[in-house]
Amino acid sequence: MDDTMSNEQRSVGPDRTATPGGTRLGWLFDRNLVSLAVLSTLLVVVSGIVQVSHGPFRMSYAEVGRSLTDQRVLFDVEVWKAFLLGHELPEMSNSNLVVWYMRLPRVLVGVFVGANLAVSGAIFQAVTRNELASPFILGVSSGAGAAILLTFVFLGGLVLYLPLIAAAGGALAFLVVYTIAWKNGTSPVRLVLAGVIVGTIFTSLQQGMFFFLQDISVAKSARAWTVGSLIGTDWEQIRMVLPWSVLAVVLALAGARQLNVLLLGKNTAKSLGMNVERVRFGLSSVGVLAAAATIAVAGIVSFVGLIVPHMVRNIVGSDYKKLVVGCLFAGPALVVSADVGARLFFQMLGSRGQIPVGIVTGLVGGPYFLYLMRKQEALGNI
Amino acid sequence: MKRNTGTDDETVRADGATATDWTDEARAPDTSELAGEGLVLGYPATDEPVLDGETVTATPGAVTALVGPNGSGKSTLLKGLANQLEPTDGSVLLDGQDIRSFGTKEMAKKLGLLSQESTSPGSISVEDLVFHGRYPHRGFFETVTAEDERAVDRAIELAGVDHLREREVASLSGGQKQLVWIAMVLAQETDVLLLDEPTTFLDLHHQLEVMEIIETLRDESDITVVVVLHDIEQAARLADRMVALKDGEIHARGTPEEVVTEGLLAEVFEIDAAVERTERGPRIEPIRARHDDDEPDAVHERPPRMEADE
C-alpha cells in the first residue's frame, strides 16, 4: 500500500540495521550519556580531592592523591571491613587516617546524597508528568524533616532510629499529598499544589518545634539537619545509606520502562494494559525510599532532585533508562562540588567557618526553579 | 484502490465486487466480536448519561464506523467499548466475555485503542514509541524478544513510517505523528482495534494514508476495527458497517448504502444533501444546513449539546 512512498524515501531513511539488535545495552553507549558520565566523574574526583585536602591538618593535593591510591588501604580487606561493616580499624599511617577515615566519608556521603535525590526527583517527575516535581516540592523532605525534629525535641531516646523515622515522616507526607490529590486519578497540577501546601504545613511544624528546644547544641544540630549538611559525616552514615541506595537505584532502573510508558499519559498507559495507579504508587515508594535515605544521613538538601533530572533530560533526552543512569553521575557532581564550593568561598573570605551544602543548593536551585516556571508555559508538563 | 471485502450479503458493494479471496481467513472463527449491550455511559461532571442503554455490535473481522454530528456520543461510545469509561449500566462483551473480567494486560493484548489526543515526550524516537506498543506482551523485567521486534517491524511497515524510524517524534508533522501512533497500536497486535477520529485534523494526504492502513487491515487481517469518523463520506468509503448516532441514540445501522441516504442526512446531520451512488461508495454533496423553521441560506453555528464529548 505504501510502495511508492517508501521507495522514494527509503534511500533517505537511516540505515535501520543499526538499532534493533543494539537496543539491549546499546543505549548505554549513547555519546551524550558517556560524556555526561565522564565529565561528572571528573568533577566529583577533583572536588573530592580539594575537599579532602582541606581541614585543620592541611595536606597538598599530591599527598591526598598518593594516599587515595595507597595499595595498603585499597586492597586491605580489614580496612574495608572496618569502613563498611563497622569493625575495628587496623593500624594506619596518619595521612591515610586523615584522608580515608576522617575526610573521605564526607565526599562519599555527598555522592550518595546526590545520586539518591536525583533519582528520586526523576521518578517523581515521571509519576506526576511534571518537571517541577521533586521530593522537596512534593512535601517528602519537609515530612521527613518534621519527623526528625520531633525526635530531637520529644523522643531523644530514639535518635538511633533517625533514618527510619525520617523515612516514615517522608512517606506520611507523601501519602497525605497523594490522597488529597487523588480524585479520579492524580493530576500533575493537583499533586504539585498539594505537595507545596503539605510541605508548608510540615515546615511550620518544624519551625514550631524549635521553640521547645532547651539545649543549644541540640538546636544547632537540628538546624543543620533541616538545611542539609555533610559536615561531620563519617563511615557510619555511609553504612546507613548504602544498602537503601543500592535498592532504590536497582528498582529505579528496573522500573525505567514503566516510567517511560507513564510519560505517554494516563489514557495511553491504560490502553497499553498498565495498571496506572498501582505502578505510580509503587514507583513513588521507590522515590520516597531514595529521598528518605539521604535525609536520614544528611538532612534536607533542597532542589537537587529538581535541578539534576532536568539538566540530565536536556542532555540525554527523556528516555528513563538513560535519564536514571545520567542522574547517578550528575547528582553526585552537583552535591560534591556545591559542598566544596561553599568551603572554598568561606576560605576566600578568610573565615574558617563552613556553611551547610543545603544552603548552597537552595541558593542555586531556587532561582533555577523560578526560571523553569517562567520558561514553561504549561507548568512544567513533560 | 482495492475493494476486497467479505461475502456477507450485506457488504456487497455498489460496484458488485464480492471478492472471495479473503473470505475464509477474514471470517475465520478466530476473529473477535466486540459488543456493547444496553450501555449507559456518562461523565462524572454531568448527571444525565450521554448514552442511555444502547446496544452495538462490531462485526468480527470487518470495519465498523461510528458517525454522527458533534456531541452525538460517538466518541463516548468508543470510550465505553474500550473500557476507558466505566458504564453505569450494561456491559461490553469481547467474544461473549465481560471485558471487566479481563486483567489489564490481558485486555490490552486483545483490544487496542488510539485516542484522539495522544501526547509523548518530544525526544522519544519513533521506533522507541512503537516498541511501547509491546507493553502488554512483556513482563515487568522482560527484555525485547525476537517476537517483539518482528511485531514492531510489521507495524512500522504497515503504517508506512519506516523512513521515520530514527526520527524524534517532536520533529514530525501532525500527520506523520498520527501514523506513528497508529504503528504503536498496531504493534500491540490486538484482535480488536478502536480508533477515535484518526483522520481529523490531518491533511488530505495523511487522511488517505490512514484510510489505506485501515483498508489493508480489513483486507489482509482478521482484525475487528471500530472507527469513529467525522467525515461521513470517508466512513461510507471505508466501512463495511456503519452506525449513525444522534443525541446519544443510534438512528441507523447497516451497510453504507443502507445508512447513507438523503433522509438520514436530513434527520441525523440536519443537512439537505444529494447522495449519488458511485463505484467508490455513496458520494455526498451537501447543499444546505436544515433548521427547525427551515429558513433558507442561514448557516449558523449551533451550540454543542454536550461539552463532555468531543
Side-chain angles (χ1 to χ4, degrees), chain B residues 160-203:
Chain B
V161 290
D162 202 17
H163 58 293
L164 303 174
R165 239 182 143 108
E166 310 294 324
R167 290 267 298 273
E168 287 191 355
V169 173
S171 71
L172 304 179
S173 73
Q176 289 172 323
K177 274 185 195 156
Q178 183 70 315
L179 293 179
V180 169
W181 281 103
I182 289 177
M184 193 198 79
V185 284
L186 290 177
Q188 224 174 312
E189 295 204 318
T190 54
D191 306 329
V192 179
L193 186 57
L194 308 180
L195 306 164
D196 196 356
E197 301 210 20
T199 58
T200 309
F201 303 124
L202 302 189
D203 59 40

Side-chain angles (χ1 to χ4, degrees), chain B residues 137-149:
Chain B
H137 298 271
R138 295 167 68 180
F140 194 91
F141 293 108
E142 241 166 79
T143 49
V144 175
T145 64
E147 171 71 16
D148 291 329
E149 284 180 8

Side-chain angles (χ1 to χ4, degrees), chain A residues 1-2 5 9-10 13-16 19-21 23-24 129 184 254-255 257-258 260-261 263-265 267-268 270-275 279 317-319 382, chain B residues 83-84 104-105 108 113 117 119-121 123 127 129 132-133 135-136 138-142 144 149 157-158 160 162-163 165-166 181 184 188 209 212-213 216:
Chain A
M1 125 240 158
D2 56 337
M5 194 188 78
Q9 261 144 343
R10 190 153 288 152
D15 178 16
R16 63 174 206 66
T19 38
T23 47
R24 294 287 154 72
R129 285 183 76 207
N184 294 315
R257 188 161 52 90
Q258 315 288 327
N260 278 333
V261 173
L263 287 185
L264 302 180
N267 285 347
T268 306
K270 192 179 172 202
S271 74
L272 285 173
M274 178 187 277
N275 194 330
V279 170
S318 56
D319 181 351
I382 297 180
Chain B
N83 203 24
Q84 294 267 345
T104 51
K105 276 197 173 180
L113 168 72
E117 67 293 319
T119 52
S120 75
S123 67
E127 188 181 32
L129 180 60
H132 284 319
Y135 183 87
R138 295 167 68 180
F140 194 91
F141 293 108
E142 241 166 79
V144 175
E149 284 180 8
E157 198 196 329
L158 186 52
D162 202 17
H163 58 293
R165 239 182 143 108
E166 310 294 324
W181 281 103
M184 193 198 79
Q188 224 174 312
E209 292 255 14
E212 281 171 17
I213 294 169
T216 311

Side-chain angles (χ1 to χ4, degrees), chain A residues 317-340:
Chain A
S318 56
D319 181 351
Y320 260 74
K321 282 182 299 196
K322 291 184 210 164
L323 188 61
V324 171
V325 173
C327 283
L328 291 181
F329 288 94
L334 176 70
V335 172
V336 175
S337 59
D339 193 29
V340 78

Side-chain angles (χ1 to χ4, degrees), chain B residues 32-35 92-99 102 110-111 192:
Chain B
S32 283
E33 186 188 72
L34 183 71
V92 178
L93 304 177
L94 184 58
D95 291 327
Q97 200 181 339
D98 194 320
I99 56 170
F102 290 109
K110 294 172 186 293
L111 190 148
V192 179

Side-chain angles (χ1 to χ4, degrees), chain A residues 153-203:
Chain A
V153 177
F154 298 111
L155 312 161
L158 296 177
V159 167
L160 272 180
Y161 301 100
L162 223 41
L164 285 178
I165 295 167
L172 175 74
F174 183 71
L175 267 179
V176 172
V177 170
Y178 201 85
T179 321
I180 290 173
W182 196 92
K183 199 179 176 190
N184 294 315
T186 40
S187 101
V189 178
R190 286 180 67 94
L191 208 57
V192 170
L193 275 179
V196 168
I197 291 161
V198 170
T200 310
I201 295 171
F202 276 107
T203 309

Side-chain angles (χ1 to χ4, degrees), chain A residues 236-260:
Chain A
E236 166 149 23
Q237 268 77 35
I238 293 175
R239 290 194 287 274
M240 198 185 275
V241 75
L242 181 66
W244 302 113
S245 309
V246 172
L247 181 65
V249 167
V250 167
L251 288 174
L253 282 171
R257 188 161 52 90
Q258 315 288 327
L259 291 164
N260 278 333

